[in-house]
Amino acid sequence: LLAGKYERNIEIHSNDPATRLVTVPVTLNVTGAAKITANKSLIDFADSFIGFEKSEDIVITNQGTDDLNVTSIVVNGSVFKIDTTPFTLSPKKSKTLTVKFKPTAVKSYTGTLIFKSNDPNTSSLVINLKGNGVTPPAIKVTPPSLSASLFT
């Protein structure tokens, strides 16, 4: 059940001729809880050209029964970027975010993406990030120019 107050009546039918029906009001108060999940625990950008940006999506979902408040998004690793604006997700709703990787040197990179929220069991959801900076291809043309004469 989703968080909230639920009110209903229980009807009790009997063979008592004086009181054939008794209605009893019932109230149920449900305290919900947010539950943050992600569609992946690792984003691997693999080989990426130095100076060029590569993007990968991650989907954050609230599998809980109350609003999920993502209060901060922290990125560790200067070559990784994401929109760090806090957001709220209703129960069973999702949000797609784009993570970007732009290597600056030929080397392997690692980092983390940390979502802090009001999930009582997972207040910090950690997503691992990795990628490799590789030299972009260089083209060489020989000869540097071509010419032709056509007879028409």
Side-chain angles (χ1 to χ4, degrees):
L1 289 175
L2 297 178
K5 182 177 181 179
Y6 296 86
E7 296 179 322
R8 294 289 184 262
N9 291 323
I10 296 177
E11 294 181 348
I12 302 171
H13 298 270
S14 75
N15 61 356
D16 181 345
T19 311
R20 293 214 175 262
L21 174 68
V22 175
T23 301
V24 180
V26 176
T27 301
L28 175 66
N29 290 306
V30 176
T31 302
K35 178 158 182 53
I36 190 170
T37 62
N39 66 330
K40 50 185 92 172
S41 59
L42 168 69
I43 299 176
D44 186 354
F45 290 94
D47 291 343
S48 302
F49 296 134
I50 296 168
F52 291 89
E53 192 172 82
K54 199 173 194 182
S55 299
E56 292 284 339
D57 287 342
I58 186 166
V59 179
I60 303 300
T61 302
N62 179 6
Q63 293 290 341
T65 57
D66 204 355
D67 285 352
L68 172 70
N69 298 311
V70 176
T71 54
S72 74
I73 303 170
V74 177
V75 181
N76 295 309
S78 62
V79 294
F80 301 102
K81 303 285 184 230
I82 192 171
D83 178 6
T84 58
T85 305
F87 60 90
T88 299
L89 288 175
S90 298
K92 312 307 177 202
K93 297 296 181 184
S94 298
K95 181 177 179 76
T96 301
L97 299 166
T98 301
V99 183
K100 297 176 182 178
F101 172 58
K102 189 174 182 180
T104 57
V106 175
K107 67 180 213 173
S108 294
Y109 293 90
T110 60
T112 55
L113 185 56
I114 303 168
F115 293 89
K116 296 188 179 190
S117 73
N118 64 328
D119 180 329
N121 297 313
T122 309
S123 61
S124 293
L125 176 67
V126 178
I127 307 298
N128 292 304
L129 307 170
K130 73 177 189 174
N132 301 312
V134 296
T135 304
I139 188 167
K140 182 177 180 183
V141 179
T142 305
S145 65
L146 298 171
S147 64
S149 298
L150 299 175
F151 181 70
T152 59

